[in-house]
Amino acid sequence: MGSIVDASNKEVNGTASEKRPAVIFVLGGPGSGKGTQCAYIVEHFGYTHLSAGDLLRAEIKSGSENGTMIQNMIKEGKIVPSEVTIKLLQKAIQENGNDKFLIDGFPRNEENRAAFEKVTGIEPKFVLFFECPEEEMERRLLGRNQGREDDNIETIRKRFKVFLESSLPVIQYYEAKGKVRKIHAAKPIEDVFQEVKAVFSPEAEKVEA
Ligand SMILES: Nc1ncnc2c1ncn2[C@@H]1O[C@H](COP(=O)(O)OP(=O)(O)OP(=O)(O)O)[C@@H](O)[C@H]1O
Ligand SMILES: Nc1ccn([C@@H]2O[C@H](COP(=O)(O)O)[C@@H](O)[C@H]2O)c(=O)n1
Ligand SMILES: [Mg+2]
């Protein structure tokens, strides 16, 4: 697996057109537990986890020409132009041998969603949506302690606003298509994973097919 095809299934990168990878979008507010649960899904169900935020942070560290722009956007809780994020996701998919991916924190707005679909022709199998109250997400982010420049109260409030205004409409778009699998995320990590596991069980996946 590895090459990316456009919507007409023509080759875009890599070798001749191959089957598109299976993609699950993992969405939810900042601090809802997306990364934490993705790590468990990887362990139990063999997916590869790609976090859009992690890819953008790695791009800053790499000294790329886009680094300063990305850093400023992240500090302000803003959404980086789709072109930049999609290139990073495409590269990560291409470089990986797996054929099934969890794409965490993407699409973050309508522009992300439409551009990804247009460029890759990939429709998500389903969307995992971690629903969590803001007060709980705020508590988690302020206690995360991973040295993230956006885990301060000022930026957290901006991220919540962007989530409500730009990301929720994307979830509603997929809801209308019957693709959203909602998870109640304001529970202990293990309890959340029990709910996640049910979505990934072979029986549940059969219904998706
Ligand atoms: N169910 C939970 N209960 C309590 N704490 C949790 C739970 N899930 C995750 N956490 C903790 O909350 C913090 C945020 O979790 P995580 O990084 O998984 O969230 P996220 O949705 O990926 O956030 P972001 O959008 O900012 O990347 C971490 O410190 C994590 O250990
Ligand atoms: N599709 C995306 C995803 C993320 N960003 C930027 O990165 C920040 C951190 O994202 P996390 O998922 O790790 O919380 C986010 O606030 C955005 O600034 C983006 O632009 N586009
Ligand atoms: Mg995360």
Side-chain angles (χ1 to χ4, degrees):
M1 185 56 259
S3 81
I4 304 292
V5 290
D6 73 4
S8 62
N9 211 19
K10 279 188 300 215
E11 177 189 341
V12 170
N13 289 307
T15 52
S17 62
E18 292 171 20
K19 201 171 169 292
R20 294 185 181 105
V23 162
I24 292 168
F25 289 145
V26 182
L27 301 177
S32 57
K34 302 179 293 295
T36 302
Q37 294 297 323
C38 281
Y40 282 98
I41 300 166
V42 165
E43 204 180 300
H44 286 76
F45 299 104
Y47 282 78
T48 293
H49 175 210
L50 298 179
S51 154
D54 286 350
L55 290 170
L56 291 166
R57 285 182 285 273
E59 187 69 359
I60 298 170
K61 278 210 183 118
S62 77
S64 121
E65 56 177 349
N66 284 322
T68 307
M69 178 274 289
I70 297 171
Q71 189 167 27
N72 290 334
M73 301 292 272
I74 289 181
K75 263 193 215 153
E76 287 303 311
K78 290 183 179 160
I79 300 170
V80 171
S82 300
E83 188 197 332
V84 172
T85 314
I86 290 171
K87 269 198 192 130
L88 295 173
L89 285 168
Q90 280 188 298
K91 186 162 174 278
I93 291 172
Q94 252 185 287
E95 286 173 356
N96 194 287
N98 206 347
D99 61 357
K100 49 185 195 176
F101 295 87
L102 302 168
I103 301 192
D104 160 4
F106 185 98
R108 234 15 183 252
N109 61 9
E110 173 57 21
E111 189 210 359
N112 271 185
R113 185 201 66 72
F116 183 82
E117 201 177 301
K118 184 163 182 239
V119 172
T120 68
I122 296 172
E123 264 274 331
K125 211 168 146 191
F126 59 85
V127 174
L128 203 54
F129 168 39
F130 290 96
E131 192 180 56
C132 195
E134 256 188 32
E135 314 83 77
E136 175 63 16
M137 296 194 287
E138 185 180 305
R139 210 174 5 254
R140 291 180 188 177
L141 293 174
L142 290 174
R144 180 154 57 181
N145 263 333
Q146 284 178 0
R148 275 179 55 164
E149 283 196 78
D150 54 350
D151 280 350
N152 59 79
I153 193 63
E154 197 187 329
T155 311
I156 288 169
R157 295 211 168 116
K158 290 179 181 168
R159 291 158 71 196
F160 285 159
K161 189 164 188 285
V162 168
F163 175 70
L164 291 178
E165 290 175 357
S166 303
S167 309
L168 263 187
V170 175
I171 294 161
Q172 286 157 357
Y173 169 89
Y174 285 117
E175 203 145 38
K177 296 182 117 193
K179 289 204 164 191
V180 173
R181 306 293 176 264
K182 193 198 280 183
I183 304 293
H184 302 92
K187 299 184 289 194
I189 292 173
E190 297 72 24
D191 296 357
V192 177
F193 187 58
Q194 288 309 312
E195 217 178 303
V196 168
K197 231 166 41 180
V199 174
F200 283 86
S201 71
E203 282 312 306
E205 291 222 15
K206 238 184 263 165
V207 177
E208 305 304 328

